Amino acid sequence: MISIDAIQRTAETLMDKAAIEIPQDYLEGLQAAADAEDGDLSSFVLQAMLENYEAAKEDRRAMCGDTGCPRWYVKMGNEAQIEGGPVALEAALRRATANATKSVPLRPNRVHPLWRTDHDNNVGIGAPEIEYGFEPEGAWIDLITVHKGGLFGTDYRMLFPSDGIQGIKRFFLDSLVAFGKRGLACQPAIIGIGLGGSKDTCMVLGKRAACLRTVGDKNPDPRIAALEEEFKDLGNSIGMGAMGFVGKSMVIDCHIEVGYCHTGGMQMSVHAFCLSSRRAVARIHADGRVEYRTDPQWFTDYQRRETVEWALPHSHEKSA
């Protein structure tokens, strides 16, 4: 049984880590971009970012003044049991969000869309978002927090099968140019692309692709992996760099996730994470152990399954 106290304590630690400590995979990707960049202003911005990350970690302060909209991804092993059940879990995550807003501190960004009511704690109707995933085995729970900007850096278009790969490329470039020219995202960034599903699941796929995969990770489908590499190079060839200045460091990495869709359509969403790439992960075991990491490990074979049933690994079947 995983205790609610352990969940809340871990969640508050994750909030602190996500706001302050840039993941190593993104830091290395950013350093590679800085080494390759030759645009004067883009180079200046990239160097300033790297220095800011060091200062944030040393001073234990949030790396960006706009700490985005904290959200949670929760993944459970099939045998996991939570004290008080899922309602208690969600209450603990909301308490952790409110407490961390004061203690880190985070900027209280969440307000009512009409009345602009602000509880000064990033908690309200539908906030923070909590999304769930499950795995066939295990008595653990993974808590993943992502602090993603909540204004721009996202677009959607209904394409059609006849648009093909060229149509996907056009919309990808349209989105990046708009992000850069109109200040709709903070580049460089990990770009996530969702293909297929319905409109809502397409948007979810794209955001998860941006936020829940690490720099250097490749889709297991080699054809999609080749597209990811091509789109990364394509995004860095449009003449825009850091924060939209002239340069060639628009994209740190590109991740594509797909979902089966209606036969007549080909939905597509494009999501830019942000130059802070704020995410942190912890696995809480039933015996109380907590393991921290920065790789969400969300997109397992089970999450990408195509079949009706799911066969357990042979090693498990033999040992059962």
Side-chain angles (χ1 to χ4, degrees), residues 200-214:
D200 56 340
T201 55
C202 180
M203 295 291 285
V204 168
L205 278 172
K207 181 169 285 188
R208 290 181 177 179
C211 300
L212 300 181
R213 286 176 56 188
T214 59

Side-chain angles (χ1 to χ4, degrees), residues 272-308:
F273 201 170
C274 71
L275 55 80
S276 296
S277 194
R278 295 165 293 212
R279 54 176 150 80
V281 189
R283 174 164 293 186
I284 309 174
H285 295 271
D287 61 7
R289 286 179 298 121
V290 180
E291 299 170 339
Y292 292 94
R293 63 182 197 266
T294 56
D295 183 354
Q297 300 173 13
W298 184 272
F299 287 102
T300 60
D301 291 343
Y302 183 74
Q303 299 302 319
R304 294 184 174 116
R305 66 195 184 279
E306 295 189 63
T307 57
V308 175

Side-chain angles (χ1 to χ4, degrees), residues 188-247:
I190 299 172
I191 303 297
I193 297 175
L195 292 176
S198 55
K199 183 173 184 178
D200 56 340
T201 55
C202 180
M203 295 291 285
V204 168
L205 278 172
K207 181 169 285 188
R208 290 181 177 179
C211 300
L212 300 181
R213 286 176 56 188
T214 59
V215 175
D217 180 48
K218 300 300 177 188
N219 192 290
D221 184 326
R223 295 166 296 180
I224 295 178
L227 280 177
E228 291 176 333
E229 191 64 30
E230 181 181 358
F231 278 34
K232 176 184 174 182
D233 293 341
L234 190 62
N236 287 328
S237 71
I238 62 177
M240 289 185 181
M243 302 304 288
F245 292 120
V246 173

Side-chain angles (χ1 to χ4, degrees), residues 143-189:
L143 299 181
I144 306 165
T145 188
V146 170
H147 298 180
K148 187 182 186 302
L151 291 175
F152 306 110
T154 298
D155 208 350
Y156 169 87
R157 184 175 293 176
M158 170 60 83
L159 301 174
F160 297 95
S162 59
D163 290 319
I165 299 298
Q166 292 305 311
I168 295 173
K169 289 181 180 179
R170 280 194 298 271
F171 180 45
F172 174 69
L173 290 176
D174 285 350
S175 299
L176 292 194
V177 170
F179 292 170
K181 290 184 68 176
R182 298 173 61 200
L184 302 182
C186 294
Q187 301 92 11

